[in-house]
Amino acid sequence: MPFETPSILLVEDEIAIRDSVEAYLHAEGYLVRSVGDGRAAVDAFSNGNFQLVILDLMLPGITGEEVIRFIRDRSNVPVIMLTAKTSVDNRIDGLELGADDYVPKPFSPRELMARVRALIRRSRNSTEPQRDVLEFDGLIIDVPTHQVSVDGHDVKLTQSEFDLLLTLARFPGRVYQRMELIEKAFGYDYEGYERTVDSHMKNLRAKLGDNSAEPRWLFTVHGIGYRFMKPNSAVKPSF
């Protein structure tokens, strides 16, 4: 059965930018709902069914940070932050709030469209499993339904967190460099940077209850990247 046309929520208070991005999205064939402030974004998200959100942070009324917290309390829909806050700390803060990607202003509309396509493709691909369910002594990853549970308790992950966990868990014991994880989990056209992986990993560990000091599944390989280990594996890493 063919995919439905993706519906995108665009939240941007600058009219010229909003109109331009909306025009590019329509040209790509997407359905678009555009709003100009945080309250309207919350209302639109509550009453709509969106496959992706493009969200400015500096909004009148309810801030973009508050909007993404509202979204993450209810959904793992992919979110691209679109903002003039461009420092590394701002990017990290945005990712740790649950954003999947971060596009600083000024930006290239063509680059933004490439990131939109990449996130929607990843979201669709997550419903096409290589194996239906992965189980690791309390951790269950149900690929078709995009559901994760730990010791019987459901865990809500963002698209990026789920992709990162699934990439690591498919090959227990394998060490992934950060840039390799960006390529394999997020796609070769994902123009992130290495600290992106660290931010998503921090969120992932917190949601799984996996303490980095005494990891259960997710191990840091210092100076290199990360690896996933099955509990009670015969060989444990020494780092």
Side-chain angles (χ1 to χ4, degrees), residues 3-22:
F3 289 114
E4 295 182 0
T5 301
S7 181
I8 296 175
L9 175 61
L10 171 62
V11 187
E12 170 60 63
D13 65 319
E14 295 185 49
I15 296 175
I17 294 177
R18 187 169 70 240
D19 289 348
S20 175
V21 172
E22 183 173 0

Side-chain angles (χ1 to χ4, degrees), residues 51-69:
Q51 284 68 59
L52 185 137
V53 177
I54 300 174
L55 173 67
D56 186 17
L57 287 186
M58 300 175 69
L59 296 170
I62 299 176
T63 66
E65 288 90 347
E66 292 174 293
V67 173
I68 194 170
R69 289 190 186 98

Side-chain angles (χ1 to χ4, degrees), residues 1 3 9 31 84 92 104 107-108 111 126-127 155 186 189 207:
M1 184 175 65
F3 289 114
L9 175 61
L31 303 175
I92 296 301
F107 61 92
S108 160
E111 177 187 357
S126 71
T127 65
V155 178
F186 305 150
D189 55 358
K207 291 182 179 182

